[in-house]
Structures are given as structure tokens and as C-alpha cells.
Amino acid sequence: MQLSNNKNQSAFAASSTPVRAAKAASRLALAGAGVAILLSGCASLSPKTTEEVVAQRANERWNLMRADKFESSYEFTAPSYKAVKDAKSYRSLYGSASAWTDAKVAKVECSSDAACNVVMEITVRNVSPMRGAPTLTTAIDESWVKEGNRWYFLPRL
């Protein structure tokens, strides 16, 4: 009787081995996916370079300006600039936001730990009937400075 019981156990073990192997493989795949997610999360937590931080701030400022939110974009200007120029003066530096169709950082070069030059590519709607292109793109140089622990746009005075 024990012999037949062993046969039944052997038959059960043989039939359940593929199921157990599949479950083990599934658990291993899930564990591998979990490790990959954790590692990618750690990678995204790595500190950004100065150039990346400045590029992000420049893009955020231009997104606000394109949305005609100049008062909000004024907050991106350096405190030293705001000490001598108000929001109305800042706004007078720019034309109509409705003409801007795109703005993106083309290049960031930092000359020190507290000063960077940003080249923005600005695309505008072509309102001149003499030119066939629907949009025109130009480059604009911007100065960015670090005051305190934050990067700010510094318009020319």
C-alpha cells in the first residue's frame, strides 16, 4: 500500500512540477520587473545637471509667456532685476504672445556656477504676406543667473 501511495505521490509530483515551475518563473519575472522599476526610479532621482535645471526653468518661463501669463513669467526674473524693474516694464519687452507658436531651448552653456547663457528657438506666425513660410524661427540669447539657490532669467537693463 505504501508503494502505491509512493507511486501516487510520484505521479502527483510529476504532474505538478510544470505548474510549480511556471509559478516559480512567474514569481521570478515579477521580482525582476520590480527590481527594474526600482532601479529606474532611482535613476530618475539622480540630481540634474545645472544645464538641465536652467533649460527646464527657461522652458517653463516661455510656456507661461506663450500662454500670455506675463505676470507669472515675471516670477522667473532675477530678484536683482525686480528690484529695479516692475512687471509692467518687463511686459513691455515683449510683443504679442499670440504670434509665438513654439519656444524651446536649443543650447545651454554655463560660464560659471552662477551664470548661464541659454539659446532659445522661438517660432512665430508669419504675418507678412510677402513671405511664403507660415512660420519663422529665430534664436534668442538669454542670460540666466543663480541668486540664492535658484536660477533666474536676467533681462538686459
Side-chain angles (χ1 to χ4, degrees), residues 21 33 74 86 93 107 122 145 150:
Y74 179 68
D86 62 8
L93 297 173
K107 182 171 60 170
I122 310 300
V145 294
R150 196 144 201 205

Side-chain angles (χ1 to χ4, degrees), residues 2-135:
Q2 281 189 346
L3 185 57
S4 65
N5 201 8
N6 284 342
K7 280 185 183 178
N8 288 342
Q9 287 175 351
S10 295
F12 174 73
S15 69
S16 68
T17 301
V19 173
R20 286 183 185 162
K23 284 182 180 179
S26 177
R27 277 183 257 158
L28 185 58
L30 284 172
V35 168
I37 289 170
L38 287 173
L39 289 176
S40 69
C42 290
S44 68
L45 294 177
S46 63
K48 292 181 179 181
T49 65
T50 297
E51 289 79 5
E52 289 170 331
V53 171
V54 172
Q56 180 179 345
R57 298 264 303 152
N59 279 323
E60 288 171 358
R61 183 175 89 68
W62 271 94
N63 287 340
L64 288 167
M65 292 192 338
R66 286 182 48 226
D68 206 16
K69 296 180 178 176
F70 284 90
E71 287 183 22
S72 296
S73 72
Y74 179 68
E75 296 306 312
F76 282 75
T77 62
S80 57
Y81 175 84
K82 287 192 251 185
V84 295
K85 297 286 185 174
D86 62 8
K88 187 176 179 182
S89 298
Y90 167 76
R91 175 62 182 98
S92 70
L93 297 173
Y94 302 97
S96 173
S98 64
W100 299 323
T101 61
D102 194 25
K104 61 185 174 189
V105 172
K107 182 171 60 170
V108 177
E109 289 181 340
C110 298
S111 57
S112 71
D113 291 341
C116 294
N117 183 65
V118 175
V119 177
M120 295 294 302
E121 277 186 9
I122 310 300
T123 303
V124 296
R125 227 181 259 81
N126 184 0
V127 293
S128 172
M130 294 185 151
R131 299 183 188 207
T135 60

